[in-house]
Structure formats: structure tokens, C-alpha cells
């Protein structure tokens, strides 16, 4: 199957700094990627939909100025947590939609491939 | 509003026993339903989707629109089935956006 990578896998930063997380589709193109947040022992919560060449779409309650998303190429989306605070500490997961199966349509008949996640700890 | 409900946080079964993970959804349109699995220290991966009507690793799931359910079943659980299972829903024309249930931890004991 297709592979999605995330970098870094783990990051520890000081409060007030910004952290960038990369999500790459290694062997397929993805015009749409998704960013999730997962708290311990909880489910994945969708944060935003990253669209190549256009602005990201954020879910209700997610601060777009806090969580900057850039999808500059068909294989790379980045999530930047700006002015991080301890409450931003979480597990961040990205997924990429395989356009080849969906044929470039909004149809959901497709498989999403998930990255391994990035553990962010803000001190 | 919570669209996907998984009522069981933890399911503990013996090896060889049947296992059923419940999933109910709330959506008035035609949803796409999925089951994702996360084994220990591994990434989330697709187990099966309703539209494929397939059996993967002995698991099956049938979409019941009348009961708005998509329960996951396996007649004989194996120890390697121990994992976290998430039911997920994608609305029509949503470009694949997934809404996940809370997840069910399955523990299969010998």
C-alpha cells in the first residue's frame, strides 16, 4: 500500500516557540491531506483539510492562526503550531487521500493512508 | 454533533470466541463507513469499508441502514486481533473527510 511519512516523530519545545510538522506521501500524489489530533486514550479529532494549492479548511473550534497549514506540493503538507503552549501537547496525525482510487472526485470511495504521528510536548 | 458511536471502550474475549464491535452512526444521507485498526505501536490502517463488502483477516461488517449500524464481527478471535478499532464515517461528497468514533480496545486472551 501507499506510504505516508511524518517528520519529526517526536518533538519537545519550549512554550512560545513554533513547531513545524511535515506530512509526505511517498509514492503517490495527494491533493487532499488531513490533520488530526489525538489525546491520550481518545479518538482522532479532525483539525483541518489540507488542499494543494489552496487554503486549508478548518473544523469548527480549530484556530487557523494557531495551526498554520501549507500544502505546497502534491506530496507535502505542513502543520505549524505557532506560539505553542502546554495545552497544545498532543499526538498529531496526518493522512493522505489516494486520488487514484477516487478519480479526482469528491467521492469518498477511496482509501486514506495515515502517517505514524508526531508526539508534541510543550514545556 | 457526534455522528459515530462506539459504545464499548473495551472488549475482552478469549481466543477462539466470537467478537462483535458495535458501531452506530447518525447521518441522513448516504454515508461511507469504514473500520480502521491500530495495532500496538503501529499507525492507523484501513481494515475494511462497507462498499467493498469484503472480509479482511476474518472480519466482516454489514451496513444496516435501517438500524444505522455498521458492526464489526469475527467468528473466532485470535490473539493477533488485539488492537484498537475505530469506526469511521465519511459523508457524501466530502473529499474523504472522516469522522471517527471513540474507538474500542479489543484484548484477546489465550
Amino acid at each position: 500500500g501507499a506510504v505516508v511519512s511524518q517528520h519529526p516523530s517526536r518533538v519537545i519545545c519550549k512554550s512560545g516557540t513554533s513547531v513545524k510538522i511535515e506530512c509526505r506521501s511517498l509514492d503517490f500524489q495527494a491533493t487532499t491531506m488531513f490533520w488530526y489530533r489525538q489525546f491520550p486514550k481518545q479518538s482522532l479529532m479532525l483539525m483541518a483539510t489540507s488542499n494543494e494549492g489552496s487554503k486549508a479548511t478548518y473544523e469548527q473550534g480549530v484556530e487557523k492562526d494557531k495551526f498554520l497549514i501549507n500544502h505546497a506540493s502534491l506530496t507535502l503538507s505542513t502543520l505549524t503550531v505557532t506560539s505553542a503552549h502546554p495545552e497544545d501537547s498532543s499526538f498529531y496525525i496526518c493522512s493522505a487521500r489516494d486520488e487514484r482510487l477516487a478519480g479526482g472526485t469528491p467521492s469518498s470511495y477511496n482509501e486514506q493512508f495515515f502517517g505514524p504521528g508526531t508526539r508534541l510536548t510543550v514545556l | 454533533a457526534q455522528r459515530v458511536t462506539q459504545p464499548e471502550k473495551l472488549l475482552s474475549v478469549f481466543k477462539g470466541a466470537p467478537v462483535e464491535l458495535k458501531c452506530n452512526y447518525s447521518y441522513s444521507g448516504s454515508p461511507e463507513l469504514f473500520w480502521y485498526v491500530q495495532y500496538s505501536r503501529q499507525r492507523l490502517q484501513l481494515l475494511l469499508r462497507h462498499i467493498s463488502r469484503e472480509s479482511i483477516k476474518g472480519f466482516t461488517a454489514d451496513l444496516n441502514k435501517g438500524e444505522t449500524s455498521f458492526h464489526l464481527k469475527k467468528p473466532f478471535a485470535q490473539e493477533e486481533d488485539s488492537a484498537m478499532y475505530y469506526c469511521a464515517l465519511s459523508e457524501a461528497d466530502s473529499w474523504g473527510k472522516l469522522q471517527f468514533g471513540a474507538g474500542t480496545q479489543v484484548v484477546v486472551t489465550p
Side-chain angles (χ1 to χ4, degrees):
Chain A
V3 178
V4 174
S5 69
Q6 276 184 246
H7 178 79
S9 59
R10 188 182 297 265
V11 57
I12 301 172
C13 69
K14 291 183 178 180
S15 186
T17 61
S18 294
V19 175
K20 180 185 284 188
I21 302 170
E22 294 185 347
C23 177
R24 293 182 185 273
S25 56
L26 297 186
D27 51 1
F28 66 101
Q29 294 182 337
T31 57
T32 307
M33 292 184 176
F34 302 92
W35 286 96
Y36 297 86
R37 185 172 179 175
Q38 186 177 33
F39 291 104
K41 299 189 183 298
Q42 293 190 30
S43 186
L44 285 78
M45 183 192 77
L46 180 65
M47 298 175 65
T49 303
S50 174
N51 305 297
E52 187 269 336
S54 64
K55 290 183 179 179
T57 305
Y58 291 82
E59 295 300 302
Q60 190 173 6
V62 178
E63 299 176 61
K64 60 182 180 182
D65 294 330
K66 172 77 171 176
F67 299 99
L68 300 179
I69 292 173
N70 186 303
H71 195 150
S73 77
L74 289 172
T75 60
L76 173 64
S77 174
T78 60
L79 168 68
T80 301
V81 183
T82 63
S83 187
H85 287 93
E87 57 265 31
D88 298 325
S89 298
S90 189
F91 196 55
Y92 292 88
I93 303 170
C94 74
S95 70
R97 182 174 179 259
D98 191 338
E99 307 294 338
R100 295 170 297 183
L101 297 177
T105 72
S107 166
S108 294
Y109 181 50
N110 65 84
E111 183 169 350
Q112 279 186 43
F113 298 91
F114 284 80
T118 296
R119 173 77 59 195
L120 171 63
T121 303
V122 185
L123 302 176
Chain B
Q2 180 67 41
R3 291 195 179 275
V4 182
T5 303
Q6 292 180 251
E8 304 126 337
K9 282 192 173 183
L10 173 66
L11 268 183
S12 185
V13 299
F14 287 108
K15 177 182 174 181
V19 61
E20 180 179 27
L21 288 74
K22 291 185 168 46
C23 173
N24 288 90
Y25 66 90
S26 172
Y27 180 58
S28 58
S30 294
E32 296 285 340
L33 273 299
F34 306 82
W35 276 99
Y36 280 84
V37 60
Q38 188 170 29
Y39 300 102
S40 179
R41 300 186 185 280
Q42 294 187 27
R43 68 186 69 193
L44 204 63
Q45 58 185 286
L46 179 69
L47 180 62
L48 52 79
R49 51 195 165 201
H50 90 270
I51 200 165
S52 299
R53 301 183 70 81
E54 57 198 346
S55 174
I56 302 293
K57 298 184 179 182
F59 285 97
T60 59
D62 292 318
L63 177 61
N64 186 322
K65 292 187 176 181
E67 297 182 358
T68 60
S69 69
F70 188 55
H71 302 328
L72 182 69
K73 302 175 185 179
K74 184 169 182 176
F76 307 103
Q78 303 298 316
E79 290 181 66
E80 55 265 30
D81 296 328
S82 295
M84 192 72 172
Y85 292 80
Y86 294 97
C87 182
L89 174 150
S90 187
E91 299 177 4
D93 298 331
S94 65
W95 296 96
K97 189 164 71 171
L98 292 172
Q99 297 174 57
F100 285 88
T104 298
Q105 179 74 48
V106 172
V107 177
V108 181
T109 52

